[in-house]
Amino acid sequence: MSESKKSPTSGENGEDTGKTQEPGQEKQAKRAKAKINLNRLEMPKQSPEVRRHNFDEVATGYTYEMAMEEARRCIQCKKRNCQAGCPVGIDIPDFIKQLQENDVEGASQVLKRKTSLPGICGRVCPQELQCEKACTLNKKGAPIAIGRLERYIADWERIEGTSSMPEIAPATGKKVAVVGTGPSGLTVAADLAVWGHQVTMFEALHVAGGVLMYGIPEFRLPKEVVQREVAYVKSLGVEIHLDTVIGINYSLDELLNGPYDAVYLATGAGLPMFLGVPGENLNMVYSANELLTRTNLMKGYLHPQYATPIKIGKRVAVIGGGNVAMDSARCSVRLGAREVNVIYRRTRAEMPARLEEVENAEEEGIHFHFLCAPIAFISDGRSNVAAMELIRMQLGEPDASGRRRPVPIPGSEYIMEIDTVAVSLGTSPNPLIASTTPDLETSRRGTVVVDELGKTSKARVWAGGDIVSGGATVISAMGEGRLAAVAMHRYLTE
Amino acid sequence: MFSIVEHETLAPQVHRMSVKAPIIAQKCKPGQFVILIVDERGERVPFTVSGWDPEAGTVDFVYVEVGDTTRQLGAMEVGDSLAHFVGPLGLPAQIDHYGHVLTVVSGYGVSAIVPILKALKERDNRITTILQAPDPQTAFGREPLAAVSDRLILAAGTQGENAATSATLPIRELLAEHPRKSIDRVVLMCSICLMRVVSEMTRPYDIKTMVHLTPLMVDGTGMCGACRLTVSGANRFACVHGPEFDGHKVQGWDVLMARRCTYADDSLLQQGFQCRGCSQW
């Protein structure tokens, strides 16, 4: 479908992109006023054979030439559908315009108007469902690679060692506590700090970043990128208290009765769910959270330089079909597993994981088993998992999620030998704050109930991210943070 | 950073450390634990608190040198700092007026039980304590235990079935006199094998027996599920639902013991941990 024969890596021709169209296309292009280039540039990636053995980032990012070439494909249409498709409303056409003028720093300034976490968003947002889906060029199947450009700008800043700073409003004298330093909390903290409020963040773990640090692996989101963006939020005047558990060290009421005028709760959904089948607590049956926390947060893949070990056997089964399952499977490969199997009870079409991550996993040699589910884990006689019993499924009527419900096929049980399991069925909110705050309304699932602007049932308390949704994406957590920040700012300046 | 304000050796390879952590010292309750990280490359390791002083802002714990991190701790001096220190985590131990409480302790539990016994004492319980130790010379912490116990029995040496369970002898004697001299509650903070054995000993008498479990943990805040166990058919996390559980409701002791040993060859000195009779060895 590409009109141009130009190699995606011929970056040195980048500036002439618009002029290298095939002659046959010219008439049509003239009619459209601008020559539309449908050659969406791929990002260079480590080859599967190589990346199976390291935790370095899989996609290595655009070069300057590539970024300029991709940016020039943008026709600067007046519709700005891309911006409408972005949960935090980044001025996408404007930052691309800056890139078209070779002004990366200017592009960064535009980005920072709406996001403090461009290096993170550029990597882990599902752009294919948001800005890029809305892009006018997507009608031709070649949307501008907005995420890759965003990432390029953030990486450029990181490598240049510069950081464009937004203008910070005069101090309002108001104090805000943000509980949890994941993507939602960081967004609220940054917004409120820029608007002149004094923000203090509380983090239960020993490092800020939440799921960006403990969950998403290094090869998808380098921790250096996360820490740089955390440092940027701190540079806006935000204070971060690590090793501090709200609900233990301070109750929510203690924060509200103390110095804080308002509180934003963004403690995520950390509690792992299990299948509830026999043998699930056998040795070497991990929750995906444990596997990922040991590997990413504690840097188990660098053991013994880092003290936390992570043990992976030869034949791994990952139960589940979401992004966390893909991350667990791909970590297992890199930790030396000989064979990694993803077990999912529906079909490929229903998998919640991003297509890009499924493709990456397949390239890395991960096997997918659809329409089956474990019904028991079997011990080796010494309480280590040695096998699992599976049952085949077929798809029945749609369930509440709109996806067809998997139904077990009687008599279809079979055994698969495995020595390591990662259970990746999703998570639910940690009940710590809710259980110590009686007047905070929660749902049956344990999520905090909020209105459309993130306001909870409790005065002066807002919430967002996975503690509200029960488990969604980084960018939706940021989007909810943005809405709540606006509402909190309005409350604080009333 | 959290500075070490006291560090003393109680017995060979057993030490008490006191750490400046004012916020934690304000909120500590008996039976809770802290998680520390020695340095930025360190692992998160849980320790049950053995004391705290809200005024001085210090938190104490006792540890046994068994692995890399505890050896690293052993080499630290007063004035040195721990990179991270978080807590108090877990639910406090249940404290009420029960009557006669029998408690069995060994290892770090000798010191970590003291705040629990103190609180039980304040609720007018009569306390009998059995201190299990490999030999009388290494039995540390007798004075603080004696101060909060009405009777202290030393079960040291290799008498009985084997060294790890010599406390079962005096327990058997006490149970033989029950209910004439009734035991109203049992609290165990000792090796997992001994907690398992004693839970089975008290089951026929239907004496409520609380165990303090120490499975492997990573985050210690309910996030990773490494410390999960089955209690009355339900999945429970020691870090948020425990670490105190009803020993008669704990299921799958074999699995619980095996899970403790997942990383034994990486971070534990195996020799010191081979208890005869344990299904894991």
Side-chain angles (χ1 to χ4, degrees):
Chain A
M1 65 182 187
S2 169
E3 283 180 84
S4 166
K5 298 279 192 299
K6 228 165 64 60
S7 148
T9 48
S10 60
E12 66 276 11
N13 295 328
E15 301 213 4
D16 300 325
T17 306
K19 293 167 192 166
T20 54
Q21 300 277 339
E22 302 288 312
Q25 307 287 340
E26 269 174 26
K27 247 185 245 169
Q28 200 186 342
K30 263 181 197 159
R31 224 177 294 136
K33 276 188 191 169
K35 292 169 189 166
I36 297 179
N37 176 357
L38 294 181
N39 183 23
R40 179 178 155 102
L41 270 189
E42 290 303 319
M43 249 191 311
K45 282 208 282 193
Q46 282 196 72
S47 79
E49 301 75 46
V50 172
R51 69 181 196 245
R52 277 175 62 92
H53 303 288
N54 68 53
F55 272 81
D56 297 341
E57 201 166 13
V58 168
T60 50
Y62 280 159
T63 60
Y64 175 79
E65 290 77 15
M66 293 170 85
M68 295 308 125
E69 183 178 342
E70 181 64 19
R72 285 199 178 83
R73 293 208 306 119
C74 174
I75 57 171
Q76 291 286 314
C77 63
K78 296 287 170 268
K79 295 187 188 121
R80 300 179 77 91
N81 290 338
C82 48
Q83 185 170 7
C86 173
V88 294
I90 293 174
D91 305 301
I92 295 166
D94 304 332
F95 88 67
I96 294 180
K97 185 93 189 4
Q98 298 294 320
L99 287 181
Q100 290 176 336
E101 290 164 8
N102 302 324
D103 181 4
V104 186
E105 197 175 346
S108 175
Q109 276 162 9
V110 174
L111 261 182
K112 294 278 182 69
R113 293 206 297 249
K114 298 287 171 63
T115 177
S116 305
L117 314 174
I120 295 164
C121 292
R123 286 173 169 82
V124 302
C125 272
Q127 289 98 5
E128 68 277 9
L129 303 175
Q130 301 172 17
C131 52
E132 293 180 13
K133 187 182 182 185
C135 173
T136 301
L137 292 189
N138 193 30
K139 288 180 188 137
K140 302 267 183 199
I144 301 296
I146 298 166
R148 294 169 190 169
L149 292 177
E150 182 182 21
R151 170 187 164 159
Y152 172 76
I153 297 164
D155 288 355
W156 178 87
E157 260 206 343
R158 184 160 50 92
I159 291 157
E160 294 287 307
T162 64
S163 186
S164 60
M165 293 290 289
E167 206 174 301
I168 295 178
T172 60
K174 301 288 183 181
K175 290 181 176 162
V176 179
V178 173
V179 186
T181 61
S184 199
L186 287 170
T187 301
V188 170
D191 282 359
L192 293 178
V194 168
W195 298 333
H197 308 294
Q198 194 182 324
V199 183
T200 307
M201 303 187 82
F202 296 98
E203 169 57 51
L205 292 173
H206 57 281
V207 52
V211 71
L212 306 170
M213 290 303 289
Y214 76 73
I216 303 175
E218 177 78 16
F219 55 82
R220 255 193 342 114
L221 178 62
K223 301 310 145 207
E224 188 196 346
V225 172
V226 179
Q227 286 313 307
R228 172 159 168 106
E229 299 195 342
V230 168
Y232 168 76
V233 173
K234 281 165 106 170
S235 75
L236 301 173
V238 172
E239 220 179 286
I240 301 182
H241 293 276
L242 302 173
D243 303 312
T244 310
V245 191
I246 302 306
I248 291 180
N249 299 121
Y250 305 103
S251 69
L252 189 49
D253 284 317
E254 280 176 299
L255 295 180
L256 292 164
N257 298 335
Y260 301 104
D261 298 290
V263 175
Y264 184 68
L265 293 179
T267 51
L271 232 55
M273 296 199 257
F274 289 91
L275 289 152
V277 303
E280 197 169 19
N281 289 354
L282 286 170
N283 215 0
M284 295 304 284
V285 180
Y286 291 104
S287 74
N289 263 10
E290 182 186 354
L291 192 155
L292 294 176
T293 300
R294 281 184 181 276
T295 309
N296 304 319
L297 177 72
M298 306 311 296
K299 300 205 183 292
Y301 68 95
L302 296 175
H303 183 75
Q305 289 97 308
Y306 283 76
T308 306
I310 170 76
K311 223 181 215 179
I312 291 286
K314 295 199 164 44
R315 287 171 60 94
V316 178
V318 176
I319 318 298
N323 286 318
V324 174
M326 296 307 110
D327 287 344
S328 304
R330 298 174 68 199
C331 279
S332 299
V333 164
R334 285 161 174 78
L335 291 165
R338 204 171 292 161
E339 184 188 305
V340 179
N341 303 282
V342 170
I343 310 293
Y344 183 54
R345 60 192 186 141
R346 292 183 164 102
T347 72
R348 177 183 295 268
E350 287 87 17
M351 272 178 101
R354 275 183 88 180
L355 181 64
E356 187 184 322
E357 301 307 332
V358 177
E359 286 170 358
N360 278 328
E362 279 180 325
E363 282 175 15
E364 289 163 16
I366 288 156
H367 304 283
F368 287 80
H369 304 256
F370 297 108
L371 290 169
C372 55
I375 50 174
F377 296 98
I378 300 159
S379 167
D380 67 349
R382 286 170 52 87
S383 298
N384 301 303
V385 69
M388 62 181 175
E389 187 176 3
L390 296 149
I391 190 162
R392 294 193 198 283
M393 300 287 204
Q394 57 191 5
L395 292 184
E397 296 300 309
D399 65 9
S401 74
R403 295 175 298 176
R404 293 175 66 194
R405 186 193 306 273
V407 183
I409 303 172
S412 68
E413 295 86 353
Y414 64 105
I415 302 284
M416 182 188 274
E417 280 183 25
I418 37 97
D419 56 17
T420 309
V421 177
V423 180
S424 176
L425 301 174
T427 51
S428 59
N430 194 317
L432 199 51
I433 291 177
S435 66
T436 53
T437 316
D439 52 343
L440 184 70
E441 192 191 335
T442 53
S443 73
R444 216 161 23 88
R445 290 158 58 223
T447 54
V448 172
V449 177
V450 297
D451 69 11
E452 65 282 2
L453 295 176
K455 180 71 185 52
T456 70
S457 61
K458 193 171 169 67
R460 298 190 282 142
V461 179
W462 283 258
D466 282 359
I467 194 182
V468 168
S469 65
T473 60
V474 167
I475 188 68
S476 64
M478 290 175 61
E480 288 158 26
R482 168 64 41 76
L483 288 173
V486 171
M488 292 171 82
H489 178 61
R490 196 177 306 136
Y491 165 77
L492 293 167
T493 51
E494 246 169 22
Chain B
M1 298 293 269
F2 300 83
S3 65
I4 299 167
V5 290
E6 284 172 36
H7 198 189
E8 61 167 335
T9 299
L10 304 176
Q13 295 187 317
V14 182
H15 315 275
R16 183 183 66 89
M17 187 176 269
S18 185
V19 176
K20 189 94 177 167
I23 296 165
I24 301 174
Q26 290 298 323
K27 301 267 171 149
C28 269
K29 294 213 171 66
Q32 289 188 300
F33 65 94
V34 288
I35 280 190
L36 64 79
I37 304 179
V38 173
D39 59 38
E40 291 304 333
R41 293 187 165 203
E43 57 184 341
R44 296 174 68 94
V45 189
F47 296 96
T48 305
V49 295
S50 60
W52 57 92
D53 183 341
E55 261 106 77
T58 56
V59 176
D60 297 12
F61 64 94
V62 167
Y63 65 96
V64 186
E65 281 186 52
V66 286
D68 292 340
T69 297
T70 43
R71 269 195 299 273
Q72 224 178 327
L73 279 179
M76 297 182 86
E77 291 173 11
V78 170
D80 290 347
S81 288
L82 301 171
H84 299 277
F85 201 68
V86 60
L89 301 170
L91 297 176
Q94 290 177 20
I95 305 292
D96 206 336
H97 175 73
Y98 303 108
H100 179 206
V101 178
L102 170 65
T103 177
V104 183
V105 294
S106 72
Y108 81 95
V110 170
S111 303
I113 196 87
V114 170
I116 298 175
L117 298 187
K118 214 180 271 176
L120 286 169
K121 204 79 202 116
E122 280 165 16
R123 299 298 301 271
D124 290 328
N125 291 287
R126 190 161 57 82
I127 293 164
T128 300
T129 299
I130 300 174
L131 194 175
Q132 148 108 44
D135 54 74
Q137 290 74 40
T138 57
F140 64 93
R142 262 182 277 189
E143 293 75 28
L145 266 185
V148 288
S149 306
D150 295 276
R151 184 181 172 202
L152 177 64
I153 301 166
L154 179 63
T158 52
Q159 74 267 44
E161 287 92 316
N162 61 53
T165 56
S166 60
T168 53
L169 288 182
I171 296 169
R172 196 162 291 144
E173 286 163 19
L174 290 165
L175 284 173
E177 293 188 87
H178 176 84
R180 194 171 50 82
K181 290 181 179 171
S182 97
I183 299 170
D184 303 300
R185 192 181 181 87
V186 176
V187 181
L188 305 174
M189 200 184 266
C190 44
S191 73
I192 188 163
C193 349
L194 188 53
M195 289 194 281
R196 177 184 190 172
V197 168
V198 177
S199 294
E200 290 315 315
M201 290 171 77
T202 58
R203 193 191 295 273
Y205 298 90
D206 203 21
I207 303 167
K208 185 92 153 174
T209 300
M210 305 309 285
V211 293
H212 283 258
L213 298 178
T214 54
L216 296 186
M217 291 182 186
V218 184
D219 67 288
T221 62
M223 206 178 75
C224 79
C227 67
R228 69 189 187 274
L229 67 147
T230 311
V231 181
S232 294
N235 217 2
R236 285 284 172 268
F237 292 179
C239 66
V240 291
H241 303 115
E244 188 182 63
F245 292 99
D246 184 332
H248 296 157
K249 293 181 178 164
V250 171
Q251 293 162 321
W253 285 94
D254 276 342
V255 174
L256 193 56
M257 290 162 86
R259 290 185 69 85
R260 271 178 64 84
C261 297
T262 315
Y263 289 94
D265 52 344
D266 290 307
S267 64
L268 291 183
L269 289 174
Q270 287 196 25
Q271 296 85 337
F273 268 70
Q274 287 189 17
C275 23
R276 266 183 295 143
C278 171
S279 61
Q280 292 315 306
W281 297 102

